[in-house]
Amino acid sequence: MIWNETMECMNRQDLQKLQESRLKKVVERVYYNCEPYRKRMQEAGIIPSDINTMEDIVKLPFMSKQDLRDHYPFALMSSPMSEIVRLHASSGTTGKPIVVGYTRTDLNIWNEVGARCFTAYGLGKNDIVQISYGYGLFTGGLGAHGAVETIGGTVIPMSSGNTEKQIMLMHDFGAVGLACTPSYALHLADVLKDSGIPRKEFKLRVGVFGAEPWTEQMRGELQERLGIRAYDIYGLTEIIGPGVGHECEYQNGTHLCEDHFYPEIVDPATGEVLPEGSLGELVFTTITKEGMPLIRFRTRDLTRLTYEKCACGRTSVRMSRILGRCDDMLIIRGVNVFPSQVESIICEMPELEPHYLLIIDRVKNLDTFEVQVEVKEDFYSDEMAKMLELRKKITHRLQSVIGIIPDIKLVEPRSLERSQGKAKRVIDKRKFI
């Protein structure tokens, strides 16, 4: 199913012309309406008339999260506050948040791209969708809410938490779709199993999961435990929220709404634009936003882009699964480790639950790396020999993938803390030394 065939299936040549027209307008907008942008462009020796084609975008300076923090709260707005109808902010728990302002047009765009996502998942006006992302300053709840209302579906605005009630209403209201973080979906699956209500009495068939990295192995877990098709929804608070990209029924990459958000892949170290198919840092330019457009915003997400037409008929560029974030990569004893690598191994092993915690510390100037992971009930045993054998198996598998030997700590089922929002998977104590 396609929501906006004109835009989602536009040929690449026509799309580029549209992108160029929109890029020129947004560059003019930030130059004349936003002093920090104008100053940055002047420092780079750039004026709006220098930007005419998409190839010219490399002339423009990058923006980062630090720029947004430096101009907190409203200095990067390109619309007067009288036109800003909503504010959202990052979900960070330390320091000043990243603040984003939306005009009425921006909200309409957000609803439009969100509608593309939920339609691609096979949801429509006759479907009831339970939104279990957090509402408030976080973009997840209201972003998904607007998308469902735009396609004409029925929203259950649950927000996160109160899990037993989530299960009750999901059952009683006949929810067909569930939108939340993948880690909370796992928790819901556990509670659903404990509820005693047979899975066949639920109408749930679609999961819309995002706001945190998750692997193909995690998708398999969610689909098996909840009896659904699990889809990724991609978004960033800074760009617009959930709706920047979505999977289709083929689950072969995330389609980016590039008529609104122009993507590049750059070398994380040099900022040089990389050839198609290269692994690098994802950069976005919002070419239609009014309230707070961002030019060449560095997401820190590591991924690849492919421009081949998808079997679903969409011509929009597809993004591979996020490998990790430049700033989430752990360097342990000189080795680069991504939490997603650990997750993929854990989810592959039938003895383990997909609940884990990585603890990194430094003792006597040597990095320590502990992996706490839950063992499934059927495999958890008081017999020391069995647990030692399982521990040895996990250690060997992880060492073969990440290149270092972790200290595996096997814990009882449901003993690790569950998340009602974004999961806390890593504790790096070295940062506090």
Side-chain angles (χ1 to χ4, degrees), residues 25-38 74-80 83 290-291 293:
K25 288 180 180 178
V26 78
V27 169
E28 290 175 356
R29 183 179 190 87
V30 298
Y31 187 87
Y32 292 113
N33 296 341
C34 181
E35 183 179 352
Y37 260 116
R38 182 165 58 252
F74 304 140
L76 286 179
M77 301 293 179
S78 292
S79 295
E83 295 178 8
E290 295 179 342

Side-chain angles (χ1 to χ4, degrees), residues 175-379:
V176 170
L178 168 67
C180 62
T181 63
S183 54
Y184 189 52
L186 276 174
H187 182 44
L188 282 168
D190 289 339
V191 177
L192 188 153
K193 183 179 178 181
D194 293 342
S195 71
I197 306 174
R199 174 62 185 85
K200 63 182 180 181
E201 291 188 12
F202 290 82
K203 295 182 179 180
L204 198 65
R205 62 177 173 82
V206 173
V208 182
F209 305 130
E212 63 187 18
W214 55 301
T215 60
E216 283 297 319
Q217 290 77 14
M218 181 67 78
R219 188 207 299 273
E221 287 281 344
L222 290 166
Q223 293 188 153
E224 180 180 353
R225 292 178 180 225
L226 289 170
I228 59 172
R229 289 268 284 176
Y231 294 97
D232 188 39
I233 187 167
Y234 180 72
L236 306 90
T237 298
E238 300 88 348
I239 301 304
I240 205 163
V244 175
H246 60 86
E247 291 182 307
C248 65
E249 65 266 33
Y250 290 93
Q251 295 178 320
N252 187 27
T254 298
H255 292 272
L256 299 178
C257 299
E258 55 178 323
D259 54 317
H260 294 290
F261 319 111
Y262 181 77
E264 302 172 81
I265 295 291
V266 305
D267 185 309
T270 67
E272 178 186 0
V273 176
L274 298 176
E276 179 181 341
S278 300
L279 176 65
E281 181 184 352
L282 182 61
V283 172
F284 276 115
T285 297
T286 60
I287 54 178
T288 56
K289 280 185 73 178
E290 295 179 342
M292 201 182 85
L294 290 181
I295 306 294
R296 306 196 80 196
F297 177 76
R298 301 188 66 156
T299 67
R300 312 304 290 168
D301 287 335
L302 295 173
T303 187
R304 292 181 172 88
L305 298 179
T306 179
Y307 290 83
E308 294 178 359
K309 183 178 180 179
C310 182
C312 71
R314 292 175 178 83
T315 55
S316 49
V317 63
R318 278 174 290 153
M319 175 183 75
S320 65
R321 272 204 176 272
I322 302 295
L323 173 63
R325 292 176 58 82
C326 304
D327 44 8
D328 282 350
M329 183 180 73
L330 302 166
I331 302 177
I332 306 172
R333 303 171 206 158
V335 177
N336 296 341
V337 178
F338 287 98
S340 60
Q341 294 174 300
V342 178
E343 179 178 294
S344 64
I345 298 302
I346 288 173
C347 289
E348 285 176 358
M349 301 187 69
E351 303 92 341
L352 305 179
E353 295 282 1
H355 298 287
Y356 63 95
L357 182 65
L358 311 183
I359 301 176
I360 303 93
D361 205 344
R362 183 169 290 128
V363 178
K364 295 182 180 180
N365 295 319
L366 180 66
D367 290 340
T368 62
F369 180 30
E370 178 179 288
V371 179
Q372 296 183 9
V373 60
E374 292 184 9
V375 181
K376 289 183 178 177
E377 290 183 10
D378 292 346
F379 294 93

